[in-house]
Amino acid sequence: MATMNQLILGGARSGKSRHAEQIAAASGQRVVYVATAESRDGEMARRIAHHRERRPADWGCVEEPLHLAARLRELAAPDTCILVDCLTLWLSNLLFAGRAAAQADAGEAVDCPLFAGQTAALIDTLPQLPGQIILVSNEVGWGIVPMHPVSRLFADEQGRLNQHVAAVCDQVTLVAAGLPLTLKAAPARA
Amino acid sequence: MATMNQLILGGARSGKSRHAEQIAAASGQRVVYVATAESRDGEMARRIAHHRERRPADWGCVEEPLHLAARLRELAAPDTCILVDCLTLWLSNLLFAGRAAAQADAGEAVDCPLFAGQTAALIDTLPQLPGQIILVSNEVGWGIVPMHPVSRLFADEQGRLNQHVAAVCDQVTLVAAGLPLTLKAAPARA
Amino acid sequence: MATMNQLILGGARSGKSRHAEQIAAASGQRVVYVATAESRDGEMARRIAHHRERRPADWGCVEEPLHLAARLRELAAPDTCILVDCLTLWLSNLLFAGRAAAQADAGEAVDCPLFAGQTAALIDTLPQLPGQIILVSNEVGWGIVPMHPVSRLFADEQGRLNQHVAAVCDQVTLVAAGLPLTLKAAPARA
């Protein structure tokens, strides 16, 4: 069965998560929400609660901070729509769980097998999954180049990840002020 | 009389103010410019002077740093085009005049009646006004998540405000390098 | 001979350089790559090497950190496509080679003849050149206003430069996640 994968991009508080949720709700499929966030402080806990209130009660919810490709292979099924929110927190989890952030801080070239392996696995896996996958990700590279090496590493890797995921998605949408702008349109399906 | 409200979004020095001024000038209506800036230092004074030089001499000009909805109710009239530049400085004024910035700095949940009341009043008021309102606002959430809590608060609230204002405007335009990109198009008017 | 000049805009790691390279490669013209980067540290050296690996071996390559307009007048020719990557590093070189950055740091109004002269020369020169010029530049003003005066100066001047260059280009494209969005379309050519 043909996959119909979508990437929803946007800045902070752009309405990208809400837009993705509306697409999932309108899919008519069983929805499984994959949260990549880990709740470690008060500010993040408030953000997670804010998102949770908005979601329909009958959606499945799974937390997966690191091994996203493996988790998607487990969960993907025909007539299932998986909503991954978001790739940005996943990327952050990978960079800090592995040694990438520390290497960047020390001014070294980054060589982080956890990060490289997991992101490559996602790109390889996405086109092979049944059902529909909707991935939410942040645009983070449109400001002044950050002064901290870890922030520059993050902006670079987020940008590259968005490019690679966009290349294997059927549809890519940029959201600003809650309004979608099509970057890549899925061809009409027979 | 039907309002035709527009939101003009863009990054810093994107040409969004100039684009808004061109729309106002082309409206054929009496134009009132509502400046939300307060001139407190040399850099801001230079920015304000730079904007002022560009505006036609016959435009009315009103300064309103805080109570925007009330001011718009006073000024709005049929055959009048009000240009509000900009919502970003207004938001900043509200957050610092109230206790929101201090709460964010202390790591507390933000509970700021001034900010919450004024932004809700703007959203409620906009669809009820006669004439035309053009609002200019910044996109500020497309960079790396800022390290300072006040900056994160600001990015979050600016993003939410832009979403809410966009929802009650007839037309929304994103400006980059002086060039407009339509995010929401007003339906043709009879 | 009519010039066909293009500006390719995007955030960090947006795929804008790759997009510009694909346009140059598809032009069927002799391609000259003008690098504005100066390799001064390990991180920048890695970025430059990463870009160089991707380019066809038969492209000419010229380094020009400062005097871009004069260099373009030398190099431009019918049936030649010049790819300038990028205006952002050029701007940075100008601001730090002249006295602009130091003036901004001291809270003074910026008065930098090197920067003002070179950017004015580029805007004047671009419409007069034979052949095709493709210019790559960053969007840097879509984040929170930076705290450092030099960063604010940079965001302001980059935004203004992008507006001015866009105004004298035939086509302007915004790239996000490797996908192009047309901001200004060249009219069909006879």
Side-chain angles (χ1 to χ4, degrees):
Chain A
M1 184 188 176
T3 304
M4 163 62 187
N5 293 335
Q6 296 197 33
L7 176 62
I8 312 293
L9 296 166
R13 294 330 109 191
S14 60
K16 60 191 183 304
S17 291
R18 185 184 294 266
H19 183 72
E21 291 162 17
Q22 289 169 344
I23 293 172
S27 71
Q29 298 180 309
R30 190 173 72 94
V31 179
V32 180
Y33 184 93
V34 177
T36 59
E38 293 179 297
S39 170
R40 278 178 301 200
D41 62 26
E43 188 178 323
M44 184 55 82
R46 284 193 295 275
R47 282 170 193 264
I48 292 174
H50 180 78
H51 276 222
R52 187 177 293 140
E53 282 168 20
R54 222 162 56 191
R55 295 197 299 264
D58 66 340
W59 288 10
C61 184
V62 173
E63 294 188 17
E64 181 49 66
L66 293 173
H67 303 99
L68 188 55
R71 186 65 73 147
L72 289 177
R73 280 195 301 269
E74 264 176 47
L75 295 169
D79 300 319
T80 294
C81 175
I82 300 177
L83 170 47
V84 179
D85 196 350
C86 64
L87 297 184
T88 299
L89 288 170
W90 176 63
L91 186 66
S92 175
N93 295 339
L94 288 174
L95 293 177
F96 285 94
R99 58 189 194 216
Q103 289 170 328
D105 238 355
E108 299 169 15
V110 169
D111 175 22
C112 174
L114 174 66
F115 164 73
Q118 289 297 321
T119 52
L122 179 69
I123 306 303
D124 287 348
T125 298
L126 275 175
Q128 303 170 17
L129 299 171
Q132 181 173 11
I133 319 289
I134 303 170
L135 306 118
V136 176
S137 190
N138 278 60
E139 286 291 330
V140 303
W142 301 55
I144 283 288
V145 173
M147 296 204 300
H148 292 267
V150 174
S151 296
R152 285 201 300 276
L153 169 71
F154 191 83
D156 283 1
E157 295 304 339
Q158 177 72 84
R160 288 194 188 110
L161 179 66
N162 287 350
Q163 286 185 55
H164 292 149
V165 174
V168 296
C169 278
D170 305 286
Q171 186 156 337
V172 182
T173 305
L174 186 62
V175 178
L179 299 166
L181 203 55
T182 298
L183 288 176
K184 180 181 185 176
R189 304 174 76 189
Chain B
M1 184 186 176
T3 305
M4 162 62 187
N5 293 335
Q6 296 198 32
L7 176 61
I8 312 292
L9 297 166
R13 291 332 108 192
S14 60
K16 61 191 183 304
S17 291
R18 185 184 294 266
H19 183 72
E21 290 161 18
Q22 288 169 345
I23 294 171
S27 71
Q29 297 180 309
R30 191 173 72 96
V31 179
V32 180
Y33 184 94
V34 177
T36 59
E38 293 180 296
S39 170
R40 277 178 301 201
D41 61 27
E43 188 177 323
M44 184 57 80
R46 284 193 296 274
R47 283 171 193 264
I48 292 175
H50 180 79
H51 276 223
R52 188 176 293 138
E53 282 167 21
R54 220 163 56 192
R55 295 197 300 263
D58 66 339
W59 288 11
C61 183
V62 173
E63 293 187 18
E64 181 49 67
L66 293 173
H67 303 99
L68 187 54
R71 187 65 73 148
L72 290 176
R73 281 194 300 270
E74 263 176 49
L75 295 169
D79 300 319
T80 295
C81 175
I82 300 176
L83 170 47
V84 179
D85 196 351
C86 65
L87 296 184
T88 300
L89 288 169
W90 176 63
L91 186 67
S92 175
N93 294 338
L94 288 174
L95 292 177
F96 285 93
R99 59 189 192 216
Q103 289 169 328
D105 238 355
E108 299 169 14
V110 169
D111 174 23
C112 174
L114 174 66
F115 164 72
Q118 288 298 322
T119 53
L122 179 68
I123 307 302
D124 287 349
T125 299
L126 276 176
Q128 303 169 17
L129 299 171
Q132 180 173 11
I133 319 288
I134 302 171
L135 306 117
V136 176
S137 191
N138 278 60
E139 286 291 330
V140 302
W142 301 55
I144 284 287
V145 173
M147 297 204 301
H148 292 265
V150 174
S151 296
R152 285 201 298 277
L153 169 72
F154 192 82
D156 283 0
E157 295 303 339
Q158 177 71 84
R160 287 192 189 111
L161 179 66
N162 287 351
Q163 285 186 54
H164 292 149
V165 174
V168 297
C169 279
D170 306 286
Q171 186 155 337
V172 181
T173 304
L174 186 63
V175 178
L179 299 166
L181 204 55
T182 299
L183 289 176
K184 181 181 185 176
R189 305 175 75 187
Chain C
M1 186 185 173
T3 305
M4 162 64 187
N5 293 335
Q6 297 197 33
L7 176 62
I8 313 292
L9 296 166
R13 292 332 107 191
S14 59
K16 60 191 183 306
S17 291
R18 184 184 295 266
H19 183 73
E21 291 162 17
Q22 288 169 344
I23 294 172
S27 71
Q29 298 180 308
R30 192 173 70 94
V31 178
V32 180
Y33 184 93
V34 177
T36 59
E38 292 180 296
S39 170
R40 276 178 303 200
D41 62 27
E43 188 177 324
M44 184 56 80
R46 283 193 296 274
R47 284 171 191 263
I48 291 174
H50 180 79
H51 276 223
R52 188 176 294 140
E53 283 168 20
R54 221 162 57 193
R55 295 197 299 266
D58 66 339
W59 287 12
C61 184
V62 173
E63 293 188 17
E64 182 50 67
L66 293 173
H67 304 99
L68 188 54
R71 186 66 71 150
L72 290 176
R73 280 195 300 271
E74 264 175 49
L75 296 169
D79 301 318
T80 295
C81 175
I82 300 176
L83 170 46
V84 179
D85 196 352
C86 65
L87 297 184
T88 299
L89 288 169
W90 176 63
L91 186 65
S92 175
N93 294 338
L94 288 174
L95 292 177
F96 284 94
R99 59 189 193 216
Q103 289 170 328
D105 237 357
E108 299 169 14
V110 169
D111 175 22
C112 174
L114 174 66
F115 164 73
Q118 288 298 322
T119 53
L122 179 68
I123 306 302
D124 286 350
T125 298
L126 275 176
Q128 303 170 17
L129 300 172
Q132 180 172 10
I133 320 288
I134 303 172
L135 307 117
V136 176
S137 190
N138 278 60
E139 286 290 329
V140 303
W142 301 56
I144 284 288
V145 173
M147 297 203 300
H148 292 266
V150 174
S151 296
R152 285 201 299 277
L153 169 71
F154 192 82
D156 283 2
E157 295 304 339
Q158 177 72 84
R160 288 193 187 110
L161 178 65
N162 287 351
Q163 286 185 54
H164 292 149
V165 174
V168 296
C169 278
D170 306 286
Q171 186 155 336
V172 182
T173 304
L174 186 63
V175 178
L179 299 165
L181 204 55
T182 298
L183 289 176
K184 181 181 186 177
R189 305 174 77 188

